[in-house]
Amino acid sequence: MSGEFSLIDKYFAHKQQNRKDVILAQGDDCAIVAPTAGSHIAISTDTLVAGTHFLADANPAQIAHKALASNISDLVAMGASPAWVSMGISLPEINTAWLERFSNAFFKLADYYGIQLIGGDTTKGPLTITLTVQGTLPEGKALTRHGAQSGDWVYVTGQLGDAKAGLDVILENNISADTSLNQELQRRHFEATPRVLAGIALRDIASAAIDISDGLVADLGHILKRSKVGARLNVAALPTSKELLQFVGSRALAQQYALTSGEEYELCFTVPEANRGQLEVALSNTPFTCIGQLTGTEYIELHNDDAPVDWQLDGFDHFKGNQ
Ligand code: ADP
Ligand code: MG
């Protein structure tokens, strides 16, 4: 696009200190990185499209945060340390105020996690952001979806449900009369905190892990399928915020939000009984909650402390009887 080079230089190139393992960042035909001996590289790509993943007039700083946080979250779910990111961006026009806010927020989060933007591509077109993130892992230490076993305990980090409530606000479904509550939930929708340190700490403790991008039931369902196990979850144990309860008005609805809310970017992970004791120390700076246990079945069974629960959650097919 016209003015492409000055645009890249001004907003995307050389805005960060070089990591020691970056030999060459933007400016040549390729970036060059030098991973240390004994590391594997985890790589993941995600695309955000205006009108599909965010509204075109959404706050550019929040779009940048969401784009990078959702990509980092995939690295976290494998136990990788974020290292490098490339950005493909299509812009309908050169809007300098938009670019300034977008790139400042992008680099703020990238710097926080020590991840360097090493290259990309900039084109004219409908607003779309594709990021490829790469992270390093000691050989053989990846957290995968297939290692879980019956009897392992199921955990989640943080609180669940706020991202779905924030989406309700964005789409103007059931919004609350309390404007500051709406704004806070909308902010939480965009500004997830990828659990980088937790992912790294869980490498030697968890038997499987996944990040919650499609909703707890759907994402835990991937672990269950790949590991050929089932789960019994206590809905009363699901961690939910007081803001969510205020927004939806009942505990049962807050719990249903927690089960189905996507784009949370929290971690769901499983831990064998023998490793449970190590968790408190390993995750000392991350909130986490045990929400149930894996079973030998291949479905999810819900209970509310001792009472059975038979909620129908639209679009989720991992429940008993829905096989
Ligand atoms: P090429 O013609 O080799 O594809 P480009 O003109 O597309 O090169 O890009 C010039 C340099 O700027 C490259 O090093 C590329 O990696 C970098 N770059 C382009 N767009 C971005 C972006 N959005 N973010 C980061 N780096 C970018
Ligand atoms: Mg190019």
Side-chain angles (χ1 to χ4, degrees), residues 4 8 120-123:
E4 181 190 334
I8 295 166
D121 201 23
T122 307
T123 56

Side-chain angles (χ1 to χ4, degrees), residues 220-234:
L220 175 61
H222 294 306
I223 291 184
L224 302 185
K225 198 164 181 196
R226 294 291 301 277
S227 301
K228 299 192 167 50
V229 288
R232 186 172 147 78
L233 302 184
N234 182 6

